[in-house]
Amino acid sequence: MILKVYQNYISKQFLSMFIKIVFIFFSLAFILNIFEEIDFFKDLDVSIGVPIFLTFLNIPSILFEIFPFIFLITTQFFFIKLIEQNENISFKNFGLSNSKIIKLLAILSFLIGVIIVTIFYNLSSNLKHSYLNIKNSYAKDNKYLAVITENGIWIKDSEDGITSIINAEDLKGNILNNVDIVQFDQDFNFIRNIYAEKINIENKIWRSNSALLNNEQKSNQRVNDFQLSTNLNFQDINSLFSNLTSLSFFELNDLKNKYNSMDYSSVEVDSAIQKIFSFPFYLMLMTILSSTIMMNIKQNRTKIFHLIFGILISVIIYYLSFFFEELGKNEQVPVIVSIW
């Protein structure tokens, strides 16, 4: 019974510290992001409320990315508080060993991780989606849109007063296959239709060895070495589909199915899905790591030492995580291996 009382006490203390650390990181993220938004809107006639509103929409997705390090630092300060108040000695007197404390914190972190994935992540992805839509409406270079459906890849591009509606069956490497392009003028009057079996989009000047052109005067006019000036290259188009933080888990799964049905690489989507599945375990491991470190270093170290040490560990883990994630995205190793 006494042990259960102390379990409740430890849980409350850990949750209290967690909320404090989250608030600190929320404040830091707000300060950093608000300056970025103000810089974005500096040449636009908008009130200060717009960048503030967008900052609040964006912060949850930022917090989700740094939650592992929030847990690491939370655990550090939790143990610092125990040591300063000599509560760790009291726990030992009541038969509560270090391993039992770590086990309790690990389970608690895992459960919080499950809540974060099931509730917080879906909320943050919806807010991120709204953030991107609102910000994109103010972007000066909002000349193109792209979407993937069951009917292939659809791209809208505007260049020199000409709007091109592009539909391709799929994208393999930097080649669009079975491409239909309908072009309109500024008043949306039909100019011409273009068809090509393959178009190389490596550069912003798209090229095809052979294309068929149709307009009101001529039909099926074959053009060799056809070129089309656009705002997009392969990197641009690929990035249009890669902002996955604005998609919920179910939307990611739907997108994966669409990619697979079109034979379009779903590696990045698979990576995002595996990150969500592994997230509670990631948080639990960060808590275990931080707990182990705190229990095995000299207790007379200052708070600054612990903070700097925690930040150093966080940076190392971040770059290791990023490195392995990129290995998976580049298909050097299986995605599941790279994430887990």
Side-chain angles (χ1 to χ4, degrees):
M1 185 65 184
I2 293 176
L3 188 59
K4 290 184 178 179
V5 170
Y6 275 95
Q7 285 176 334
N8 291 332
Y9 175 78
I10 289 173
S11 299
K12 288 179 181 178
Q13 291 297 313
F14 184 81
L15 288 173
S16 174
M17 186 63 68
F18 172 70
I19 292 171
K20 291 177 183 177
I21 299 299
V22 168
F23 178 77
I24 291 171
F25 274 89
F26 180 93
S27 302
L28 291 173
F30 180 87
I31 293 171
L32 294 174
N33 200 84
I34 191 65
F35 285 116
E36 181 181 336
E37 300 301 335
I38 290 174
D39 182 66
F40 178 84
F41 287 102
K42 64 182 179 182
D43 297 324
L44 300 174
D45 185 21
V46 297
S47 67
I48 188 64
V50 174
I52 291 175
F53 178 64
L54 285 175
T55 297
F56 278 112
L57 291 179
N58 194 35
I59 285 178
S61 64
I62 297 174
L63 286 178
F64 182 81
E65 293 295 325
I66 60 176
F67 264 130
F69 314 111
I70 290 176
F71 273 78
L72 186 143
I73 294 174
T74 295
T75 306
Q76 279 189 297
F77 279 94
F78 168 80
F79 277 101
I80 289 173
K81 185 177 179 181
L82 290 188
I83 293 169
E84 287 181 342
Q85 298 179 357
N86 293 320
E87 291 178 336
N88 57 326
I89 299 175
S90 299
F91 290 153
K92 290 180 180 179
N93 292 335
F94 280 101
L96 197 61
S97 63
N98 290 343
S99 61
K100 289 180 180 178
I101 296 176
I102 294 176
K103 181 180 178 181
L104 176 60
L105 295 181
I107 293 172
L108 187 60
S109 297
F110 181 83
L111 294 176
I112 296 173
V114 172
I115 294 172
I116 289 173
V117 166
T118 55
I119 299 175
F120 184 86
Y121 174 76
N122 288 304
L123 173 64
S124 70
S125 64
N126 288 330
L127 294 177
K128 184 73 171 185
H129 182 75
S130 299
Y131 167 83
L132 292 173
N133 282 341
I134 295 172
K135 193 166 182 178
N136 187 57
S137 67
Y138 288 100
K140 294 180 180 180
D141 59 349
N142 184 21
K143 297 179 180 180
Y144 46 82
L145 299 169
V147 68
I148 289 183
T149 71
E150 291 79 1
N151 297 320
I153 298 174
W154 291 86
I155 301 168
K156 172 182 172 289
D157 180 55
S158 296
E159 175 78 2
D160 297 329
I162 297 175
T163 299
S164 299
I165 307 297
I166 304 158
N167 175 227
E169 182 180 297
D170 57 34
L171 173 64
K172 293 184 177 180
N174 56 8
I175 302 295
L176 282 174
N177 294 304
N178 293 325
V179 187
D180 271 307
I181 304 173
V182 183
Q183 294 186 317
F184 303 90
D185 63 18
Q186 291 178 330
D187 298 321
F188 220 70
N189 296 313
F190 174 78
I191 299 176
R192 63 179 178 174
N193 172 262
I194 305 163
Y195 172 78
E197 288 188 6
K198 297 180 182 294
I199 292 185
N200 187 314
I201 61 171
E202 183 178 358
N203 303 307
K204 292 186 178 181
I205 304 296
W206 294 7
R207 300 178 182 275
S208 176
N209 292 332
S210 178
L212 290 176
L213 276 58
N214 293 278
N215 54 35
E216 294 179 349
Q217 289 76 35
K218 296 181 180 180
S219 61
N220 293 330
Q221 179 186 1
R222 184 169 295 278
V223 177
N224 296 323
D225 194 23
F226 174 77
Q227 298 183 15
L228 179 67
S229 178
T230 71
N231 293 291
L232 302 159
N233 57 25
F234 168 72
Q235 298 274 352
D236 297 324
I237 291 178
N238 206 38
S239 66
L240 292 174
F241 305 119
S242 63
N243 199 328
L244 303 178
T245 58
S246 63
L247 301 178
S248 67
F249 173 77
F250 297 105
E251 290 170 330
L252 285 171
N253 195 53
D254 289 340
L255 183 61
K256 177 184 175 181
N257 292 333
K258 288 178 181 178
Y259 279 13
N260 289 336
S261 66
M262 295 171 52
D263 198 24
Y264 183 78
S265 175
S266 62
V267 170
E268 290 202 21
V269 183
D270 286 331
S271 178
I273 292 174
Q274 290 300 323
K275 283 180 71 175
I276 294 173
F277 277 133
S278 66
F279 204 68
F281 296 95
Y282 190 8
L283 300 181
M284 181 177 69
L285 289 172
M286 292 295 276
T287 299
I288 293 173
L289 172 65
S290 184
S291 299
T292 305
I293 291 172
M294 292 300 296
M295 288 181 171
N296 287 280
I297 61 176
K298 295 180 180 179
Q299 295 186 4
N300 59 352
R301 298 287 188 178
T302 64
K303 287 184 179 180
I304 296 297
F305 171 82
H306 289 98
L307 183 60
I308 294 174
F309 190 72
I311 292 172
L312 177 62
I313 294 294
S314 298
V315 170
I316 293 172
I317 292 174
Y318 171 80
Y319 279 106
L320 283 173
S321 175
F322 177 80
F323 172 73
F324 280 104
E325 187 177 335
E326 289 301 308
L327 285 180
K329 289 180 179 179
N330 293 323
E331 301 183 67
Q332 301 297 313
V333 296
V335 170
I336 292 179
V337 174
S338 71
I339 297 300
W340 286 88

